[in-house]
Structures are given as C-alpha cells and as structure tokens.
Amino acid sequence: MRKTQWFDFQTFFQKPSLTSSIKPRPFKAYSFVPFSPLAMLDPTILTLGGIVLGIAFIERMLERLGVIDLAEQFEKVMRFILPVTFYGALLYFFATFMF
C-alpha cells in the first residue's frame, strides 16, 4: 500500500520552486531574402503566362503559314494585351504575397 503524503496549503505555496516556471521565448529569425522564388509558381500567374505564350505561338505559326493578315491582327491585339497582363499579374502577385 502506498503512503500518502499530506501538505499544508500555506507551506506548499511558500516553498520555493525547484524549476523555473518562466519558459524561454522562441527566437525569431528573419531572412535577408525578401521573397521566395517559389512564390512565382502561383497557378493564376502560370495560367495567365500560358495563355499569353499560347497566343504568341499561334501568331508565329500563322506567320509561317503565310496568313499575314490574321497574324497582324493578332499582333495588334497583343500590343495591348501583353502590357495589361504583365502589370495585372505583377499587381496580383504583390497584392496576394505575404511578406
């Protein structure tokens, strides 16, 4: 049979603690690299890039096939779409990226 040990409430709280109750805070380390290159693998940015590359590929194929009129129409559209897509993707990247 176990022996039960009794403590008086006042003596229990006045007794100094053997272990410290203060736990050390975790050390936060910060990287000097402002962003990860893997963050560019966002599906939205990859989809926009794939669409733009696909349209550019179609334009080059039309040029090689000799359909110059249609290729020029694609070129006129791409002059507007490329900068808008680039700046839109850049704005989206910085708006959704967590620093």
Side-chain angles (χ1 to χ4, degrees), residues 24-92:
R25 293 183 181 177
F27 178 74
K28 291 185 178 182
Y30 295 99
S31 173
F32 291 108
V33 179
F35 63 90
S36 170
L38 295 177
M40 291 293 223
L41 296 177
D42 185 31
T44 306
I45 293 176
L46 289 177
T47 304
L48 288 174
I51 291 170
V52 169
L53 285 176
I55 292 172
F57 181 73
I58 290 171
E59 178 191 345
R60 293 293 167 208
M61 290 304 295
L62 288 173
E63 227 175 64
R64 288 187 183 189
L65 291 174
V67 191
I68 303 298
D69 294 334
L70 195 55
E72 286 178 359
Q73 294 299 324
F74 267 98
E75 183 182 351
K76 287 178 185 175
V77 171
M78 290 300 285
R79 274 191 201 157
F80 175 73
I81 289 178
L82 280 176
V84 170
T85 306
F86 172 74
Y87 288 119
L90 193 65
L91 181 68
Y92 172 80

